[in-house]
């Protein structure tokens, strides 16, 4: 009987040791896996404007964001907000999910803003941990688009007043306002006004700065460096978007824009962050396009 008891105790000890060893190994693997994920996330660089992946984000936002991180990006810019949510997630849910992937949301395109909803939108942007509130086109029904291209209703002075008002609201809430250009802002109007110049000259730099879309400024036959020289420090963000021989959107590094020349003047421009964006990837899968663009960023020297 004593022998049987000893054997039972011995068996229990063996099982206990085996379980402990197994648990220890599992714990080690979990730590190693977490460390590996952290190292990968810390090695990521650059940002992605999620407008590029708008179709995929509408179908599977979480899976698509995971793919963004896996393709080497460190931060994103949102292009979807509805009913107080970003891609169907509350601001805090969105922030937490990004953090779980090693991502952050650096900026948000908020074209739906008006003077009535501005305070709520700004509050939600801040709750999501987003630092920059971006006006992607003239807001409140001022933007026009048709067969003759993009343009604006109303006067540039009205846009200046709207931007200054929104900029002050953002500043009071601890968020920063940027205006994003297309090509029409660089074209001379009948009275000689250039919308981008008027915005740069009349918007209070304490409250309003700019996100330069390098594709659209090039499309307007304007040299970005001319604006960096004339308005230094005002272009806090860039959209890094290439142009092919036909003048269409292309993955970064595969087109005709001399990004190395532009990047050499980043300090003068005031650039603090940049985002890959490709409005249309045509026959190329958008996820493949962002992969090619990230490789292009590295080859050009973006970090």
């Amino acid at each position: 009987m004593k022998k049987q008891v000893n054997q039972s105790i011995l068996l229990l000890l063996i099982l206990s040791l085996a379980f402990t060893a197994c648990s220890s190994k599992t714990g080690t693997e979990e730590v190693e896996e977490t460390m590996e994920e952290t190292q990968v996330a810390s090695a990521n660089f650059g940002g992605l404007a999620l407008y590029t992946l708008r179709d995929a984000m509408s179908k599977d936002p979480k899976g698509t964001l995971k793919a963004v991180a896996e393709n080497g990006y460190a931060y994103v810019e949102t292009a979807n907000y509805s009913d107080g949510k970003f891609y169907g997630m509350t601001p805090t849910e969105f922030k937490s999910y990004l953090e779980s992937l090693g991502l952050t949301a650096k900026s948000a395109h908020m074209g739906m803003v008006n003077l009535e909803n501005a305070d709520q939108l700004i509050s939600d942007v801040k709750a999501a941990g987003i630092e920059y509130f971006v006006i992607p086109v003239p807001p409140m029904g001022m933007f026009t688009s048709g067969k003759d291209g993009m343009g604006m209703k109303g006067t540039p002075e009205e846009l200046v007043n709207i931007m200054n008002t929104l900029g002050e609201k953002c500043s009071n809430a601890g968020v920063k306002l940027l205006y994003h250009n297309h090509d029409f802002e660089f074209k001379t109007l009948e009275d000689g006004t250039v919308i981008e110049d008027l915005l740069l000259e009349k918007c209070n730099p304490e409250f309003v700065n700019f996100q330069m879309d390098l594709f659209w400024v090039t499309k307007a036959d304007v040299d970005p460096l001319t604006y960096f020289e004339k308005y230094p420090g005002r272009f806090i963000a860039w959209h890094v978007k290439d142009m092919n021989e036909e003048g269409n959107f292309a993955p970064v590094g595969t087109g005709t824009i001399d990004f190395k020349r532009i990047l050499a003047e980043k300090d003068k421009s005031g650039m603090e962050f940049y985002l890959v964006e490709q409005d249309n990837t045509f026959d190329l899968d958008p996820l493949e396009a962002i992969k090619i663009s990230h490789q292009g960023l590295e080859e050009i020297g973006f970090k």
Side-chain angles (χ1 to χ4, degrees):
M1 180 71 178
K2 186 176 182 182
K3 185 177 180 180
Q4 289 177 339
V5 170
N6 288 339
Q7 287 176 337
S8 297
I9 292 172
L10 182 60
L11 180 60
L12 286 171
L13 283 171
I14 291 170
L15 289 171
S16 177
L17 287 169
F19 177 78
T20 302
C22 207
S23 297
S24 177
K25 183 179 178 182
T26 302
T28 302
E29 287 173 347
E30 286 176 354
V31 170
E32 288 176 350
E33 187 176 328
T34 301
M35 288 176 65
E36 186 178 340
E37 288 174 354
T38 302
Q39 288 168 355
V40 169
S42 64
N44 286 6
F45 68 91
L48 177 71
L50 292 174
Y51 182 72
T52 310
L53 301 177
R54 55 194 177 278
D55 292 338
M57 286 295 295
S58 68
K59 295 172 186 174
D60 179 16
K62 290 188 174 181
T64 304
L65 288 168
K66 187 172 185 291
V68 170
E70 289 170 348
N71 276 291
Y73 291 90
Y75 51 89
V76 297
E77 175 178 81
T78 68
N80 175 284
Y81 172 91
S82 180
D83 298 325
K85 296 181 178 181
F86 295 92
Y87 302 100
M89 291 173 264
T90 67
T92 53
E93 287 171 346
F94 184 60
K95 179 183 178 183
S96 295
Y97 184 68
L98 289 176
E99 288 173 348
S100 75
L101 299 174
L103 290 171
T104 57
K106 192 77 173 175
S107 51
H109 271 206
M110 303 296 284
M112 73 295 295
V113 68
N114 57 52
L115 296 181
E116 287 70 43
N117 66 15
D119 290 337
Q120 184 60 55
L121 269 58
I122 292 167
S123 176
D124 286 343
V125 162
K126 185 173 183 181
I130 299 172
E131 188 176 358
Y132 290 92
F133 190 109
V134 185
I135 305 298
V137 293
M140 295 177 247
M142 296 182 74
F143 178 63
T144 62
S145 181
K147 62 180 182 179
D148 296 326
M150 293 176 284
M152 188 183 81
K153 294 187 293 186
T155 68
E157 289 79 9
E158 288 172 335
L159 180 58
V160 167
N161 290 335
I162 290 169
M163 291 301 297
N164 279 329
T165 299
L166 293 175
E168 190 166 0
K169 282 179 174 291
C170 283
S171 181
N172 289 339
V175 176
K176 300 170 187 175
L177 186 74
L178 302 177
Y179 180 85
H180 167 275
N181 68 271
H182 288 85
D183 58 347
F184 69 90
E185 290 97 341
F186 293 92
K187 296 177 181 178
T188 305
L189 302 178
E190 289 182 5
D191 65 357
T193 300
V194 176
I195 295 170
E196 188 80 1
D197 289 14
L198 190 70
L199 289 170
L200 282 153
E201 290 163 8
K202 299 294 185 180
C203 288
N204 187 340
E206 184 180 347
F207 303 134
V208 182
N209 282 293
F210 295 81
Q211 180 181 76
M212 179 176 276
D213 188 303
L214 297 173
F215 174 95
W216 286 113
V217 69
T218 302
K219 192 79 168 176
D221 292 323
V222 171
D223 185 351
L225 272 59
T226 300
Y227 273 79
F228 298 167
E229 186 68 36
K230 191 174 180 181
Y231 304 102
R234 298 298 301 279
F235 301 97
I236 307 303
W238 296 352
H239 269 185
V240 182
K241 183 190 308 182
D242 219 335
M243 180 186 296
N244 65 18
E245 296 286 352
E246 292 74 39
N248 291 323
F249 309 112
V252 175
T254 68
T256 61
I257 296 179
D258 188 350
F259 290 115
K260 286 187 178 181
R261 173 176 172 270
I262 298 169
L263 185 60
E265 300 300 326
K266 70 181 181 68
D267 291 339
K268 183 175 287 185
S269 79
M271 188 267 277
E272 296 178 7
F273 69 104
Y274 60 89
L275 304 128
V276 164
E277 185 183 48
Q278 190 171 340
D279 302 39
N280 191 328
T281 63
F282 305 102
D283 295 331
L284 186 63
D285 184 276
L287 285 170
E288 181 62 22
I290 71 164
K291 181 178 180 180
I292 295 170
S293 285
H294 199 268
Q295 292 168 349
L297 290 177
E298 189 163 17
E299 291 167 7
I300 291 163
F302 281 92
K303 282 293 181 183

